[in-house]
Amino acid sequence: MSVISPPAATSSPLRIAIYGDLGAESDKTLALYRALAAMGHQPMAVRTDDLTLGRLTTANFDVFVLPAGEGGSDTSYLQNIQAISGAEAAIRNFVSSGGGFIGIEAGARYAANNSVWNGVSQPRTLDLYAGNFYGPANQVGPGMGQITLTDPQFGPGIYTTYFSSGAGYFSLAAGATRVASFDLGAGSQNGRPAIVRFTYGSGRAVLVAPSLELEEDSELDWTTWDNLDAAHYDADSEWPLLAQLLEWIETGQVTNETVINPAPLTGGRFAVYATHTPEGGAYPGLLPAVGRVTEYSSHTPLAIRDTEVKNQALTRAHFDVIIFPGGYAPGYITQLTGHEQKIRDFVSASGGYVGISAGTFYAADDIGWYGQFYPYPLNLFLGEVMGPLDDIAPWPGWALTPLHINDPDFGDFTLDGLYWGEGYLELPPAGQQQVDTVATFAYGGQYAGLPGMVKHSYGSGRVIQPNMHLEVEEGSTNDWVYFDNFQYGSNDPQVDPESDWPFLSEVWNWARPLTPSLPFESGGINLAVQKGPTDTTGETLGASQRDDTAGASPTQVRLDDGWYSVSRGRRGDWTGFGQGLVADPANVVLQVHYSVQPGYNGSNALQWTTDGLTWRNTTIRPQNGQVDFTATFDLWAAGVDTAAELQALRLRFTNNSGPVAAVSLGYLWVIAP
């Protein structure tokens, strides 16, 4: 069962609201969003606010997903949905008026009429499904188990899939259809319904016991904790079954024509800490934006849990950078008490640490919160973080606020970012730790001019703390987050016309010490942020991005020497220019700095295309004897005169020299002032 289906597709892209508030299990979050996006759908994180303020409507969304619950339980759903007036009614009204619904694991348990857990029956007031949910499915979970399809609409098939501690089975309610049953060979849970489908008013709903979003033998799901334990390996993919369930919700039938096409994994390996417990940790509603900006930066986000840190899987052999995202920092302390040295060892061994909001608090020596001071144990940053800054937005509210970046690595400019409970940073006393202030708060309030973002070295590694939520794109759903498009507690729009992602891409790349490439520069230079599919150089992308070889010339082809060397018979291929560019450029010029090794007799020019089919020569044709040479080509005059064409641009160079001689690029820049 391949992840990639036949090329034809008739199903429509769906707008899928995913409950991303407290109660949703963070460690499977990236996998769920990634799976739905790979099918061509638009996943969007919503909060309880979106339910109670009337934003869960069929005008805004096609499907609502209640995902797996934190710790395998639906207790937090009882506390954060059932206990909030109007929230359950909003879900029922959405489905009954024609919206779709998927409940996964504890989300399915919460949607049933009764939860019968360890023999104790308790009613569930969401009550979309007239049958009961029984659990735990301890004959299989947590771990791998099999289900067999029993519904003719979905065809024959057996799937091996992961069952969490929150998995269970269903009684078959009147009017419901069993889609799949447990296939366990024997035992009391063998043959029980594992997936059911039914109608509710004018809508269609599906309840799912296993974790179909996880791909246990692949990191295409942006999740690696399920791959690090060999007991979770699984050669088949459950994404096609999840796609079928969505097709049935959309159309009432299954066509098997959804194309599932996840983008390839690229760049560095960025561990995203994704554990949330009742004490706090990584907030599930912000994780999709962290994943998206990491992908935008041409790196791969990979969800890990506290378990992987404790089991010493956080190593430079596995990862380049670890991101501690926004949430609630005391949860990080509780989850990782006694294991802080493993994080420090990772960073000091040339790893990177990125702290966002709670991740910034967690890295500090001490924090202040409403005047109370707390010692924190990680101590990557030997200063203090003091918050919240209620004159920007009283906690727990959020608001856009300006941040002035002034740093030699990133430039001098101001952008608006989402403030949501962060603090300002007090630098360590002189002589303790050399820390650079990257940005200061630039609003007109009490904390204006104080550090809002810092960076520093730690051993052989790097620590950078964006602090505010620059990962979300207010007014856009490209970040897979919906609730940030509204002002806190209201339906008034919240729109930031600029994108913070180009700057954050620089931050991500700076945090990766061995390859500090810069995919964006504010001075009109648009850099390649991806290798094209035919690149065979083996070089690091950053070598073609950085201007770090002026005045030098390579004497031999060597990796990690600052040059992007294209040796004989090999090809360089670059794309991804102009990410974040909205307006059409006023001019586009290609500028290349390169050196040619003696004896080169190749004849090829650097080529360009905007459709991937028709390749055209530039006037840049390397020649023997050219050393520390800079050449330009007018792409604008050649026809690259819109933002869309710039973003579709690919450049390639094939070395067809007879003698062994390389053409080595110091940089390859597209300049669009």
Side-chain angles (χ1 to χ4, degrees), residues 27-28 162 214 223-229 232 303-305 308:
D27 61 19
K28 301 188 187 78
Y162 179 77
L214 291 178
T223 303
T224 197
W225 61 261
D226 60 327
N227 307 91
L228 294 172
D229 181 349
H232 294 163
I304 66 169
R305 307 166 301 177
E308 283 65 60

Side-chain angles (χ1 to χ4, degrees), residues 61-75:
F61 303 104
D62 301 301
V63 180
F64 176 71
V65 178
L66 198 56
E70 184 177 291
S73 172
D74 66 351
T75 299

